[in-house]
Amino acid sequence: MASRSERTLRELVRIIAGRFFGMVIVFTLVVAAAFAATWRAPKWYRSEMQLRTAPSRIVTPVDQNGDMRDQVVLYISTLRAVASSDHVLGSTLLRLQNAEKPDAPGIVLPPDLGEDGLPSDPEKMKQWVANVQAWNQAVSKFVGEHTEDVDKLKERLTIVTPGGPDATFTQTLKMQVTWPEERKKAAELGKDPKEYATERALAVIQELMRAYRLRETELEWKRATAATKFLSDKSLAAAKKALDDAETAYTAYINENVEADLVDMQQLIGQSSGSGGKISLATEYAKQMTSVEEIRVGLESIKGALEEQLKPENAEKIAVPDSLMASNPSVRALETKILDLKLHINSLEPRYTDDYKELSTARSELAAAKAELRLELAKQLTRTQQKIDVLVAQQKSVSASYKKERDRLDEIASKIAPWQSLRDEKAEARNRYNKEKDLVVSAVTAQELSNVSIMLSVLADPAKADPDKPVKPVMLINMILAVIVGFFLSLIYAFGADHFDHSLKGIDEAERYLGLPVLASVPKLGRRMIRAKRGVK
C-alpha cells in the first residue's frame, strides 16, 4: 500500500488536475475584472509645492539650541492646522469658483496682499481690514453651503514634513493636492477628463497657497494688534490693586475681630473638627446641666417621699422608699428590725394576753425602733435637702457659665458673615489677578512671536501633472494583487468543488471508505480509443 505522503500528493494532483479548467476560468475572471476596473476607474493626479521654512534673521549658536528651534517647529504645526482648516479650504474653493464664473452676480473678491505685506497707510489698512471682513463672511457662507466639498478637499490635501524630530531650522515640506477625474464636469466644459483633472489639481494648490498666506497674515495681524492693545491696558494693575485692597481688608478684620476666635468660627461653619474652643466648652456645660438636673429630680423625689412618711398621720405606717433603702444601711437595718419585731408580735398575740412580758417587751422594742426610724428618716431628709441646695447652687453656676459661653458663641457667629465675605472677595480678586497675569504672559508671547518672524519660501512652483502618469490607480500594483487573489480564489474553488463532490474519485478514496484493498483498476477509455481498437480487430 502507498504511504500517507504519497496518497496526499496523489490527492492534490488529482484535485488540481480534475478542476484545472475551472481554476483557469476563475483566475482569468479575477484578473480580467481587476484590469477592467483599474482601466475604467477615475484617475487621480497630484500637484505638489515644495516649501522651505527658516528664521527671517541670522541664527546665532545660542538660538540654534534654544527658543528658535521651538519657534520653527511651532510655525510648521500652525501651518498644518491653518492650511487644513475649513476657512482656508473654503476660501480656496471660493477662489476657484470666482475664477470659473468671474461675471457671476454678487461675487466677492479676496483682499489683495501685495509683495510688501500689509499696507502702511492707515486709510489703506482700514480699507484692507474691511475687505478681509467681507471676504470672511463670504467664505463662512460658502463653507456652510458646501460642507461636503470642503471635507473632500481636506481628504485630498496632504502636508508632508520630512526630517522627523531632529530636523534643523531649514526644514523643507511639501504641500500636495490629489485630484480625481471629473468626467461629467469635463464633458460639460468640453475638455479631456485627464487634462481637466491635472489643471484642477494645479489650480487648487496655487489658490490654496494664496488663501493660506492671506489667512496667516490676517491671524498674525489680529494677534499682534490684540497683544499691543492688551499690553497698553491698565487691567493688570487694576487687578493687582484690587487684590492688595482685598488682602489688606481681610487681614485687618482678622487682626481686629477674628484672630482669637478663628478656631471657634471654623468649627461653627464646619471647616474644622478639632476639639477645644468655645463650642466644646458650651457642650460640656450643657452636659453638666443635664446631669445635675437629673440628680436633682431624683433627690426631689426622695425628699417628697420622706416628707410624706414623716407626717404625724403616717407615724404608724412608715414606708421607706426603695432608693433610700438601697443607699442608707442604717435605714435598711431598722426596717429589717421592725419587720422582724412585727412578725414576732404577730406570732405571740394569738397565744398570749397583752400582759405577757415577752409580748409587751416586743411591742416596746417595736415602738422604739419606729421612733428611731423616724429620727433617721428626719436626718436623711435634712441631708437630702442639703444635697438639693448644693445641686441648685451648682446648677445656677453652670447655667451662668453656659449662658456666658452661648452669648460669646453668638457674638462669634455674628462675625462669620463679614469674615466669609472678605475671604471670598480676596479669593475672587486673586483669581482675577491670575487670569489677567496669564493674559499678559500670552500677550507678551504673541508680541515676541510677531517680532521673530519665520520666513516661508517656495522652493519649487507646482507643475502640471502628466496626464499619462496618474498617482492612482496603479495598473502594475493592481495586476499583481489580482494575480495573487485570483490564484487563491482558484484554489478555493478547486478544493471547495472537490469537497462537495461525494463520488469515489480514486483508488485511495475507495480503500479509505470501503475498507478493502483495490486489486485492479480499469482505465477510462475515450470513444476514439475504442473505435481504434475495434478497427484493429
Side-chain angles (χ1 to χ4, degrees):
M1 293 182 67
S3 64
R4 183 182 297 272
S5 61
E6 291 176 350
R7 289 200 304 270
T8 303
L9 180 60
R10 201 159 55 234
E11 285 286 331
L12 291 176
V13 172
R14 180 191 59 77
I15 292 173
I16 295 175
R19 309 290 177 181
F20 183 74
F21 181 72
M23 292 175 63
V24 171
I25 293 176
V26 172
F27 180 81
T28 304
L29 287 176
V30 172
V31 174
F35 178 81
T38 304
W39 183 262
R40 292 293 302 168
K43 307 300 186 293
W44 290 70
Y45 299 92
R46 177 179 294 162
S47 288
E48 65 179 24
M49 180 183 295
Q50 293 187 353
L51 305 173
R52 175 177 177 270
T53 58
S56 59
R57 61 179 175 83
I58 299 175
V59 181
T60 64
V62 176
D63 291 332
Q64 192 168 3
N65 295 321
D67 296 336
M68 187 61 68
R69 182 184 301 277
D70 297 335
Q71 292 171 5
V72 173
V73 173
L74 176 62
Y75 179 83
I76 293 177
S77 301
T78 305
L79 182 148
R80 187 189 298 274
V82 174
S84 59
S85 64
D86 290 347
H87 182 87
V88 171
L89 299 179
S91 178
T92 301
L93 295 177
L94 183 57
R95 287 168 178 265
L96 292 174
Q97 178 179 288
N98 293 343
E100 292 177 353
K101 301 176 181 179
D103 299 330
I107 189 173
V108 179
L109 297 177
D112 182 26
L113 189 62
E115 296 181 358
D116 298 332
L118 296 176
S120 57
D121 183 63
E123 291 298 327
K124 292 182 179 181
M125 186 63 194
K126 185 177 180 180
Q127 182 61 39
W128 184 84
V129 172
N131 294 339
V132 168
Q133 293 176 349
W135 175 251
N136 288 344
Q137 292 177 358
V139 171
S140 299
K141 180 179 178 182
F142 180 85
V143 171
E145 296 174 353
H146 300 80
T147 305
E148 185 176 353
D149 295 335
V150 173
D151 292 339
K152 287 182 180 179
L153 180 55
K154 186 178 295 185
E155 295 175 357
R156 297 168 184 175
L157 172 64
T158 306
I159 299 177
V160 182
T161 53
D166 298 329
T168 59
F169 291 122
T170 310
Q171 290 189 335
T172 59
L173 61 150
K174 292 181 181 180
M175 187 179 294
Q176 300 174 342
V177 172
T178 308
W179 204 264
E181 287 181 335
E182 297 173 309
R183 293 170 181 173
K184 184 177 179 180
K185 193 171 183 179
E188 294 175 356
L189 298 175
K191 295 183 177 181
D192 180 68
K194 296 181 180 179
E195 291 289 340
Y196 182 70
T198 57
E199 293 173 1
R200 192 72 169 174
L202 178 61
V204 167
I205 197 168
Q206 290 175 341
E207 294 299 337
L208 180 65
M209 191 62 191
R210 295 189 184 98
Y212 167 75
R213 286 191 180 277
L214 176 62
R215 186 62 171 172
E216 180 193 30
T217 303
E218 176 192 355
L219 295 177
E220 288 292 335
W221 172 77
K222 286 183 177 180
R223 186 163 56 228
T225 303
T228 303
K229 181 180 178 181
F230 185 84
L231 290 176
S232 62
D233 196 1
K234 305 295 183 181
S235 56
L236 181 63
K240 177 61 175 174
K241 185 178 183 303
L243 175 61
D244 293 340
D245 294 342
E247 289 181 342
T248 301
Y250 178 79
T251 304
Y253 187 81
I254 289 291
N255 294 335
E256 294 175 4
N257 304 292
V258 178
E259 186 173 9
D261 304 320
L262 187 58
V263 174
D264 298 319
M265 291 174 62
Q266 290 176 343
Q267 287 183 350
L268 281 175
I269 62 178
Q271 291 185 353
S272 175
S273 58
S275 60
K278 302 293 182 183
I279 296 179
S280 300
L281 191 58
T283 304
E284 184 64 28
Y285 284 148
K287 290 180 180 179
Q288 290 182 16
M289 289 176 61
T290 303
S291 177
V292 169
E293 180 65 20
E294 290 176 354
I295 297 174
R296 189 188 66 79
V297 170
L299 292 177
E300 288 287 354
S301 176
I302 295 175
K303 174 187 173 183
L306 290 174
E307 290 176 345
E308 182 67 25
Q309 296 301 322
L310 291 174
K311 288 181 179 180
E313 59 269 21
N314 294 329
E316 295 298 327
K317 298 184 292 184
I318 299 177
V320 181
D322 294 337
S323 58
L324 184 59
M325 286 277 291
S327 60
N328 195 324
S330 299
V331 173
R332 185 168 60 252
L334 289 172
E335 183 70 16
T336 303
K337 181 179 180 182
I338 292 173
L339 181 60
D340 292 340
L341 289 172
K342 284 182 178 181
L343 292 175
H344 184 59
I345 292 171
N346 290 337
S347 64
L348 293 177
E349 284 179 345
R351 294 181 294 163
Y352 302 102
T353 61
D354 294 338
D355 296 334
Y356 186 66
K357 183 177 181 180
E358 186 177 355
L359 179 60
S360 60
T361 303
R363 287 176 176 172
S364 299
E365 291 179 358
L366 177 61
K370 288 183 177 180
E372 187 177 357
L373 178 59
R374 287 180 62 84
L375 180 61
E376 184 63 31
L377 292 179
K379 293 179 180 179
Q380 185 64 39
L381 177 61
T382 303
R383 288 194 294 270
T384 302
Q385 183 61 46
Q386 291 175 351
K387 290 181 180 179
I388 291 174
D389 294 341
V390 171
L391 289 176
V392 170
Q394 184 179 357
Q395 193 174 25
K396 289 181 180 180
S397 175
V398 173
S399 178
S401 300
Y402 176 75
K403 185 177 182 304
K404 180 180 178 181
E405 295 302 326
R406 288 303 310 174
D407 293 342
R408 181 60 179 157
L409 285 177
D410 293 339
E411 180 184 356
I412 293 173
S414 65
K415 301 177 183 179
I416 291 178
W419 172 67
Q420 287 181 324
S421 177
L422 290 173
R423 184 193 60 183
D424 294 342
E425 289 178 2
K426 185 185 75 169
E428 184 179 356
R430 170 69 64 182
N431 292 334
R432 192 184 312 117
Y433 172 73
N434 290 336
K435 289 180 180 179
E436 293 293 337
K437 186 168 65 174
D438 293 340
L439 290 175
V440 168
V441 173
S442 300
V444 171
T445 304
Q447 195 174 52
E448 291 177 352
L449 288 177
S450 63
N451 293 332
V452 183
S453 59
I454 304 299
M455 183 175 62
L456 180 66
S457 58
V458 178
L459 290 180
D461 291 327
K464 183 179 177 182
D466 187 353
D468 296 329
K469 295 181 180 180
V471 294
K472 62 180 181 179
V474 181
M475 180 66 74
L476 178 60
I477 296 177
N478 287 356
M479 287 300 97
I480 293 174
L481 293 176
V483 168
I484 297 173
V485 173
F487 175 74
F488 281 103
L489 286 179
S490 63
L491 289 178
I492 292 173
Y493 158 75
F495 285 97
D498 184 76
H499 175 74
F500 290 103
D501 184 2
H502 301 296
S503 61
L504 296 177
K505 296 177 282 296
I507 296 174
D508 294 329
E509 287 192 0
E511 291 179 344
R512 184 189 313 135
Y513 292 112
L514 298 178
L516 298 173
V518 176
L519 301 178
S521 63
V522 179
K524 183 178 180 180
L525 299 178
R527 292 182 180 180
R528 295 181 180 178
M529 185 177 294
I530 294 174
R531 291 194 188 100
K533 288 185 178 182
R534 286 178 179 176
V536 171
K537 290 180 180 180

